[in-house]
Amino acid sequence: MKIIHWRTIQAIPQTVQWQRILTPAGELIVLYIDDSIVSSYFNFNNRPIEEWIRELFPNQSQTIVIIEKKEQLLPSSLAQLAQLKEVYLAEFGTPFQQNVWEELMKIPYGSTISYTELAKRLGNLEAIRAVAAAVGKNPFAYIIPCHRVIGNTGKLTGFRWGIETKNQLLQIEKGIRQMDINY
């Protein structure tokens, strides 16, 4: 299980750095402010980084400088990424969403759980819709493994980057021997 260190971003950033990780499931873009991850997303539509940043900081009136991060803070493979013991994330979302995202980090590599099971683990089965909404709002693709949550029937359900990508990520994880992952 990864440990999340939430870091408060004090002001709208002047500079955002980015890193590209090429994965079998597609290009993963990771955005940073200082050494905290602000967001990560699969860039299937070649969406400009500027658009993603405007979505993250909708009230930003001044220009944000965007530069490629020279130092690799994250490993360049999904298997290595899954082995990280701790991660520094910019504090986004509500406390409820952060609780859901922290619970997602407890789902073992290569495993899946249902939205109902996730709500049970959070101690509130009646909040299943709110839990599902929080999973869908996860701004940290793959780093917080929302792809490991499936429907009650075992069917793959909604994923911001498409069901095919969700299936591909799960197949990649199942294909990597779990004994090689200290997770």
Side-chain angles (χ1 to χ4, degrees), residues 26-143:
E27 179 184 69
L28 184 68
I29 300 291
V30 183
L31 304 177
Y32 300 87
I33 296 174
D34 299 321
D35 289 338
S36 296
I37 298 170
V38 177
S39 183
S40 59
Y41 63 96
F42 285 99
N43 193 25
F44 295 122
N45 300 324
N46 292 321
R47 183 178 182 194
I49 293 171
E50 295 83 1
E51 285 182 20
W52 197 257
I53 291 171
R54 275 195 296 277
E55 188 176 309
L56 289 170
F57 303 103
N59 299 323
Q60 173 69 341
S61 58
Q62 66 188 56
T63 302
I64 297 176
V65 177
I66 302 166
I67 56 177
E68 187 170 1
K69 195 157 191 65
K70 301 297 181 205
E71 174 190 358
Q72 289 284 109
L73 289 183
L74 289 178
S76 59
S77 79
L78 294 178
Q80 292 170 332
L81 191 58
Q83 292 181 58
L84 289 176
K85 297 294 183 202
E86 57 187 352
V87 65
Y88 294 87
L89 303 177
E91 194 170 36
F92 274 105
T94 66
F96 177 79
Q97 289 170 329
Q98 290 176 7
N99 286 338
V100 171
W101 300 338
E102 288 173 8
E103 194 63 37
L104 291 173
M105 300 293 270
K106 297 176 186 176
I107 303 170
Y109 187 87
S111 300
T112 58
I113 66 169
S114 69
Y115 289 95
T116 301
E117 177 61 27
L118 182 58
K120 282 182 193 175
R121 290 181 182 189
L122 289 162
N124 191 351
L125 188 55
E126 294 179 13
I128 190 166
R129 287 179 189 240
V131 167
V135 170
K137 293 273 189 186
N138 172 22
F140 304 102
Y142 197 77
I143 295 168

